[in-house]
Amino acid sequence: MPREPSVEGGGAVDTPEIVHSVRRADLKAVGEVRRSLRELMRHRCRAEATEVAELLITELVTNALVHTEQGAEVSACIADTRLRVEVRDYAARRPRPHVPTADDGTHGRGLVLVETLADDWGVDALVPGAGKVVWFELDA
């Protein structure tokens, strides 16, 4: 999931990253993931980018835990000035942005937020039966 460190001039460049495994229905772990991301971005990114990244990672991890039957694998890395976050779950169903109505309450806004706030985002299907990766990137 995280990108390999780039190699420049014969030596590996340190690519800061986080990796978390989140158990099924462990919504308390969402805060841990968010704190790890904040720490990763602390001295490398603008405060506004950190706030957006925390919101988006919260949405993606929560979606994976609420809408699938298994846990999720979360990774984030910063390469140059670009943050990439990936959330892998084990469900084949592709998420789609949903325009919420007043009847939806506070639900259904996660992917709309990702679509609106991320510099880039997408869904990559894995081999059949292995699930998918939902990812976003931000210029940090």
Side-chain angles (χ1 to χ4, degrees):
M1 289 172 77
R3 295 180 185 167
E4 292 296 317
S6 60
V7 176
E8 212 171 278
V13 175
D14 182 35
T15 303
E17 64 181 48
I18 60 170
V19 178
H20 278 275
S21 292
V22 182
R23 292 186 320 265
R24 177 179 176 259
D26 185 8
L27 293 176
K28 290 180 182 178
V30 176
E32 271 181 44
V33 170
R34 193 173 44 246
R35 280 187 295 281
S36 293
L37 181 65
R38 184 182 317 122
E39 186 61 30
L40 173 70
M41 297 179 74
R42 187 169 161 200
H43 298 293
R44 297 174 187 91
C45 306
R46 300 180 330 267
E48 310 83 55
T50 301
E51 291 172 7
V52 169
E54 285 184 55
L55 173 64
L56 300 184
I57 200 170
T58 299
E59 294 297 335
L60 292 187
V61 174
T62 301
N63 282 352
L65 296 179
V66 169
H67 297 293
T68 68
E69 296 297 319
Q70 296 178 344
E73 303 296 323
V74 182
S75 65
C77 65
I78 300 173
D80 297 318
T81 61
R82 191 91 166 165
L83 169 72
R84 181 175 176 97
V85 172
E86 298 180 350
V87 178
R88 176 187 178 185
D89 65 46
Y90 299 91
R93 188 179 69 235
R94 292 180 65 88
R96 287 173 286 162
H98 163 74
V99 178
T101 66
D103 295 334
D104 290 333
T106 60
H107 300 289
R109 290 168 172 75
L111 284 180
V112 172
L113 287 170
V114 173
E115 186 176 58
T116 303
L117 297 174
D119 291 312
D120 198 9
W121 81 283
V123 180
D124 297 331
L126 301 175
V127 295
K132 66 185 168 297
V133 174
V134 182
W135 57 270
F136 71 85
E137 293 183 350
L138 287 175
D139 288 326

